[in-house]
Amino acid sequence: MTVHAVTIWGEPVLHRRAAEVTEFNDELRALIEDMHETNDAANGVGLAAPQIGVGLRIFVYKYKNDDGVPPRGVVVNPRLTLTKVPGTAPDPEEDEEGCLSFPGESYPLKRADWAHVEGFDGDGKPVDFIATGWFARVMQHEYDHLDGKLYIDKLVDRYARKAKKAAKKNGWGVPGLTWMPGVDPDPFGH
């Protein structure tokens, strides 16, 4: 297993729709193991393949939940069905989100409280579960990566301006920037 560098906002693979996985083979299973290893080293709750430079519709997660879903898993070619996202303003304390590809920064974002997740595991077997609360947030966050969106693309204006300033200050928004989990300092201080 290999820990991969995490791409930072501005890397083209993060900003385009990822391709469907068409073959379930040893190469795919090795990629999934590498993604779990990278997510663990980064102290993440989830990691999408584009975040390690691979434009495929795969994400892994590690999140203890109350939904009866194993706390560690993978979803290949996921489909999400969501409840409506509340129209209220995001709560700066309750709705704060971060992203390994926008390292060290956190901003509030409203998400649906419920998600029906369907897809496949690394062997091509169906995956089908309901995620609620923060687990639903994790699912939505990772799924967005597969459509070329980061959570900062969905922020309300006030927080979008702050994210833009942070990106400028850090020199992000250009290709080729990464950070290495387990080598570079943890951007979220875990």
Side-chain angles (χ1 to χ4, degrees):
M1 293 183 289
T2 304
V3 173
H4 292 262
V6 175
T7 58
I8 294 176
W9 182 76
E11 185 64 33
V13 72
L14 290 172
H15 305 286
R16 64 177 172 252
R17 188 178 195 283
E20 297 282 328
V21 171
T22 57
E23 291 187 44
F24 292 82
N25 53 27
D26 289 342
E27 186 178 326
L28 175 68
R29 285 183 285 279
L31 172 62
I32 291 167
E33 285 306 312
D34 287 355
M35 289 174 65
H36 277 300
E37 190 80 11
T38 302
N39 190 49
D40 289 347
N43 296 303
V45 295
L47 182 76
Q51 292 183 273
I52 60 167
V54 178
L56 291 174
R57 296 187 72 76
I58 308 165
F59 67 76
V60 298
Y61 64 86
K62 183 179 178 183
Y63 191 82
K64 188 175 177 184
N65 60 81
D66 296 324
D67 299 313
V69 179
R72 180 181 170 105
V74 61
V75 186
V76 179
N77 296 339
R79 292 177 311 281
L80 263 62
T81 306
L82 307 173
T83 54
K84 188 175 179 183
V85 177
T88 56
D91 183 307
E93 304 216 3
E94 295 293 320
D95 297 321
E96 193 168 79
E97 210 168 295
C99 180
L100 298 175
S101 290
F102 208 79
E105 303 294 330
S106 299
Y107 304 99
L109 175 66
K110 276 291 188 193
R111 295 272 193 187
D113 290 327
W114 181 95
H116 180 196
V117 181
E118 299 173 277
F120 302 92
D121 69 11
D123 296 318
K125 294 177 185 160
V127 170
D128 188 335
F129 60 85
I130 302 297
T132 60
W134 269 92
F135 189 40
R137 178 181 294 271
V138 171
M139 297 297 104
Q140 292 167 78
H141 181 110
E142 299 310 326
Y143 182 84
D144 283 349
H145 277 298
L146 306 182
D147 284 342
K149 294 183 174 39
L150 276 71
Y151 85 107
I152 59 162
D153 298 326
K154 296 181 164 201
L155 297 174
V156 295
D157 287 347
R158 174 182 174 198
Y159 299 113
R161 285 190 300 274
K162 289 182 178 187
K164 194 173 207 171
K165 285 179 186 176
K168 185 175 181 175
K169 181 182 120 208
N170 288 302
W172 300 336
V174 296
L177 300 178
T178 62
W179 69 277
M180 191 66 188
V183 175
D184 293 328
D186 184 324
F188 292 99
H190 295 108

